[in-house]
Amino acid sequence: MSLGLALVGLTAAVPASRRCDRLFLGGFVHTPAGVRRVGIAVSGGRIAALVESDQVEGWRKATGDVVDLGGAHVYPGFTESHGHLTGYGAALEQVNLHGAASFAEVVERARHAASALPAGAWVMGRGWDQNLWPGGAFPTHQALSRAIPDRPALLRRVDGHAVLLNARALAEAGITAASVDPPGGRILRDGSGAPTGVLVDDAVALAERVIPQPSAADIERRVLLASHHLAEFGITEMHDAGTLRSELAVLRELRRAGRLPIRVYVMLDGSDDSLLAAELPHGPWRSDDGMLTVRAVKLYADGALGSRGAWLSAPYRDDPATRGLEVTPPKRLRDVVARAAMAGFQPCIHAIGDAAVTRVLDIYEHEVGSRSAALRPRVEHAQIVRPADLPRFATLHAIASVQPAHCTSDMPWAPARLGEDRIAWAYRWRSLLAAGARLCLGSDVPVASPDPRLGVWAAVTRRPPEGTPELGWNLPEALTLEEAIAGYTTWAAYAGFEEAQRGTIAEGFAADFTVFDRDLDASAPAAILQAMVLRAVVAGRDSFIAGSPTR
Ligand SMILES: [Zn+2]
């Protein structure tokens, strides 16, 4: 006490004990108190201090690594609140065949990709469309088989309803001239009756069943690939919505070796009883360095709106014969939620249709009950919410985990699915907030791009980046820019029980930063899309620096 008083009035000399590992200078720092021109001293992966200009020299002397941010804007590290890490990695490894103007181009893209794969790995591709080629006929496998003779290849058509196999894949799938078309599917054949390599609809399963399960090495490669891409988008943490047992083992190994480029918040695959039995008894777990957290369980209540799998309380407007799909029996949902809650794990249930949302809230009410404030149960997607359910989110301490870019991608066809009345219940972020619900934001990558600029743009404007239509869709449901950024930072941190550790730039918080070259300025929405990610910092280390190889 007396020592403290004695120091009052002295110049702002830095005590020798306040050394730091890195000092970030020259940035516009987005803090809870507004944008400040302060330095950020980082020590042990945390923010040691926000450094005023008159203290910089003292800190500089005690710092090994001084980073000049050159007037860039430093935001708290963005979190992707709902994505699929290995799924994203797998998608990135697939050959992109979209827009190929000839079959020769398809073959060349596949051949090029094959040369980068480990021996024996399947070449997986997606996006060919024979309507874009001269003649417009379905392809046959011969040119592909010549270009890729030594490993199987499976190239999916743009709509996903047909695949082209090379000779090696046909052989592995056991498809010959003698094969019989399965119910609901077709094996296309040439004049002599030999398979052409194209399988349609339910015949695709003949090939899918022989694709090997990914090895630990495959999973590791995909996790790292996905993580590096996420870092390039400025993402510093991913909430992995349904981690498989094999994936968790790889994540733990990467974390132990200090090789995880971004933080991962694991939602265990709730369909795997052996995984739940292995993890739940230990209780929630967070690694010492905070890079890996295991404290949530993921389940599915229904499907998706585009394929009419979302479970609605009344029939689809454009298909009155269906109300969608309940993909998990309610008894199973209740059982797993009860087990998760008992073990202190956060339940996270995919619910898109309004009937699914009601079902999930009912389950939280009965199975989580008085623990809900402590467990913060999540409704993943919460796309269509009945008015009567809006206040229940706050009552049940439930978080709506939403993906703003789904609103803008779905708007061309969602009104047809739901009809004029119910469309007002869709993507209703403002209504949820007004009813006291907490939100967190994400993309559901690889379903959509994980680029948070697109998410923030969609949340604020509710129109696609191309700018048409000029006015956003049901604009009163839009978020403000501050809310959208909170959805990726402070609110996302809350959704992962990390609001006291990260999501905010303040002393003591994790040194996770997303650095843009400009302010994400709501008064000029285009700035959101034009902003460039210059740097992603996780626990004080650079996960991405624009223009320099970080892998
Ligand atoms: Zn998902």
Side-chain angles (χ1 to χ4, degrees), residues 103-124:
F103 183 48
E105 188 177 339
V106 167
V107 170
E108 178 48 30
R109 288 192 200 178
R111 190 198 59 75
H112 181 74
S115 64
L117 288 176
W122 281 60
V123 182
M124 303 290 289

Side-chain angles (χ1 to χ4, degrees), residues 114 146-147 157 176 188 201 270 355 364 385 424:
R146 278 195 300 275
R157 193 179 180 278
T176 66
L188 300 194
D201 278 325
Y364 289 162
V385 183

Side-chain angles (χ1 to χ4, degrees), residues 82 84 241 298 300 350 381 444:
H82 181 121
H84 302 272
K298 169 78 186 301
Y300 289 82
H350 166 121
H381 310 304
D444 204 8

